[in-house]
Amino acid sequence: MRPGDELPPLTVPITRTLVIAGAIVSRDYQDVHHDAEAARAKGSPDIFMNILTTNGLVGRYVTDHLGPEAVLRKVSIRLGVPSYPGDVLVLTGRILSVNERTTEISVVGTNRLGRHVTGRVVTVHPVHPARPADPFRARADG
């Protein structure tokens, strides 16, 4: 993994269930995330995904690629166009920097309306102490 490397895309169908469940689990009870009539009354064509759900999807995208030992240190995102039920969010990423302890990745998420999210994620990789020699390993001399 080197700076400039592209991550494979992740495609996420935006379902009504994802939008509502994401709002509930993040304790975002704003009606525009679960009540279509209220969302329309406020000028939106339908309910739309909240920023915390988007943030979680960005984190998932990065950790799915880097593996279960990668720890999110910083996730910094900016929302663009909304994501509505029926949309498909496509997340893409590019490695910005890598060293022995951290990786920084830029992430972009697009849907049919354009850019839904842009951001940067910094991960920390655990340091593994030197592993002791295996006492049960067969010795070469016999």
Side-chain angles (χ1 to χ4, degrees):
M1 184 168 41
R2 295 177 301 195
D5 286 354
E6 301 285 328
L7 278 64
L10 173 66
T11 301
V12 180
I14 306 303
T15 64
R16 191 164 298 280
T17 300
L18 174 64
V19 172
I20 295 170
I24 290 170
V25 76
S26 63
R27 296 180 159 186
D28 183 348
Y29 303 118
Q30 293 292 316
D31 54 9
V32 294
H33 302 307
H34 64 84
D35 184 332
E37 287 180 25
R40 282 191 287 277
K42 293 180 179 179
S44 178
D46 201 347
I47 63 173
F48 53 91
M49 191 161 62
N50 73 354
I51 191 170
L52 296 170
T53 304
T54 300
N55 200 60
L57 291 171
V58 167
R60 170 194 163 193
Y61 174 59
V62 169
T63 57
D64 278 1
H65 180 72
L66 295 181
E69 292 188 339
V71 176
L72 299 176
R73 172 61 60 110
K74 180 178 181 182
V75 179
S76 177
I77 64 170
R78 173 167 282 170
L79 289 183
V81 299
S83 276
Y84 297 108
D87 284 345
V88 174
L89 179 64
V90 178
L91 294 165
T92 58
R94 184 173 47 86
I95 305 294
L96 296 175
S97 65
V98 179
N99 63 43
E100 65 280 349
R101 290 284 293 139
T102 64
T103 301
E104 184 175 9
I105 299 171
S106 75
V107 177
V108 174
T110 59
N111 63 27
R112 66 185 166 85
L113 298 174
R115 280 193 176 180
H116 171 68
V117 63
T118 56
R120 291 179 180 224
V121 178
V122 176
T123 64
V124 176
H125 311 284
V127 175
H128 296 288
R131 294 190 174 135
D134 182 352
F136 300 105
R137 179 192 237 160
R139 292 186 0 201
D141 61 356

